[in-house]
């Protein structure tokens, strides 16, 4: 089976996960900016990664443009966000609003922790984050919004790697 990792992120966490996956699975990892159209036909399965920025998947436009070529293929979709991976309800809303509905049945979803380092943000993103914190009434939530964190760890990929390996090398049934 032939697979590929396709990703789009903003501040490096999604790309870092794609690099770790590439090294583990020995398949190519490419930015969504560098793969289009007929190139997708040669792959049996795809690992697609996207960060969430202001409540939207970064890769949503690419998915919409290529939906007809992706339909019917097995998709392992990993999402990287500041919201905790355990906040499944919030995280799933990002997916259902950013992934074309006809692709949802072919996807298996994985929610990975991201990072936020204030000094790495663009001045506009820092400004928007500070304004959002200023409008937040809960002092604990405000503090959390402005505190750096980096929860990007290779260990976060274990469930995703297990699912992919099971798909490409299923265990034969015992009789």
């Amino acid at each position: 089976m032939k697979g590929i990792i396709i990703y789009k992120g903003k501040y490096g966490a999604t790309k870092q996960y794609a690099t770790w996956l590439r090294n583990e699975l020995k398949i190519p990892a490419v930015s969504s900016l560098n793969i289009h159209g007929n190139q997708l036909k040669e792959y049996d399965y795809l690992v697609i990664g996207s960060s969430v920025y202001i409540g939207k998947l970064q890769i949503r436009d690419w998915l919409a443009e290529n939906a007809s070529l992706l339909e019917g293929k097995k998709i392992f979709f990993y999402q990287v966000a500041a919201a905790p991976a355990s906040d499944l309800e919030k995280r799933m809303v990002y997916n259902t609003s950013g992934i074309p509905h006809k692709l949802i049945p072919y996807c298996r979803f994985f929610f990975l922790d991201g990072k936020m380092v204030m000094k790495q943000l663009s001045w506009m993103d820092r400004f928007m984050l500070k304004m959002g914190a200023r409008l937040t009434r809960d002092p604990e939530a405000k503090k959390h919004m402005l505190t750096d964190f980096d929860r990007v760890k290779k260990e976060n990929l274990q469930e995703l790697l297990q699912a992919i390996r099971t798909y490409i090398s299923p265990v034969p049934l015992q009789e």
Side-chain angles (χ1 to χ4, degrees), residues 13-14 17 50-53 79-85 91 94 111-115 149 151:
T14 309
Y17 284 126
S50 180
S51 66
V52 174
Y53 178 71
Q79 180 205 101
V80 182
R91 290 287 203 89
Y94 300 146
F111 303 101
L112 305 179
D113 288 321
K115 68 178 181 173
F149 64 90
R151 297 186 299 261

Side-chain angles (χ1 to χ4, degrees), residues 17 21 24-25 47 74-79 85-86 88 91 108-113 153-168:
Y17 284 126
L21 287 165
E24 287 289 322
L25 299 168
V47 182
K74 179 65 176 173
I75 300 170
F76 297 91
F77 189 90
Y78 71 93
Q79 180 205 101
S86 60
L88 296 178
R91 290 287 203 89
R108 179 149 177 213
F109 298 111
F110 299 86
F111 303 101
L112 305 179
D113 288 321
K153 297 179 180 86
K154 193 174 183 180
E155 302 84 63
N156 296 346
L157 293 171
Q158 292 311 310
E159 185 182 351
L160 173 55
L161 283 167
Q162 175 71 35
I164 296 167
R165 287 179 176 136
T166 299
Y167 177 74
I168 59 178

Side-chain angles (χ1 to χ4, degrees), residues 49-139:
S50 180
S51 66
V52 174
Y53 178 71
I54 311 178
K56 296 187 180 359
L57 295 175
Q58 288 286 290
I59 204 163
R60 72 186 179 285
D61 292 339
W62 183 89
L63 289 170
E65 290 167 15
N66 293 287
S68 62
L69 296 166
L70 299 172
E71 194 172 6
K73 293 186 182 284
K74 179 65 176 173
I75 300 170
F76 297 91
F77 189 90
Y78 71 93
Q79 180 205 101
V80 182
S86 60
D87 193 349
L88 296 178
E89 189 174 319
K90 183 176 189 177
R91 290 287 203 89
M92 199 56 197
V93 168
Y94 300 146
N95 285 355
T96 56
S97 64
I99 298 172
H101 293 302
K102 69 180 183 178
L103 295 181
I104 300 269
Y106 305 105
C107 293
R108 179 149 177 213
F109 298 111
F110 299 86
F111 303 101
L112 305 179
D113 288 321
K115 68 178 181 173
M116 195 278 301
V117 180
M118 288 292 275
K119 68 181 180 185
Q120 293 177 355
L121 301 179
S122 70
W123 72 269
M124 181 57 93
D125 288 346
R126 276 194 311 273
F127 174 76
M128 289 180 4
L129 193 59
K130 288 177 181 176
M131 290 306 294
R134 183 176 270 177
L135 297 171
T136 301
R137 293 186 177 167
D138 178 3

Side-chain angles (χ1 to χ4, degrees), residues 17-34:
Y17 284 126
T19 300
W20 285 329
L21 287 165
R22 179 196 69 208
N23 294 341
E24 287 289 322
L25 299 168
K26 309 293 189 236
I27 61 175
V30 298
S31 165
S32 64
L33 300 173
N34 298 324

Side-chain angles (χ1 to χ4, degrees), residues 31-53:
S31 165
S32 64
L33 300 173
N34 298 324
I35 187 163
H36 297 285
N38 289 334
Q39 293 171 296
L40 297 170
K41 290 180 180 177
E42 66 185 84
Y43 297 101
D44 303 302
Y45 71 96
L46 300 103
V47 182
I48 299 178
S50 180
S51 66
V52 174
Y53 178 71

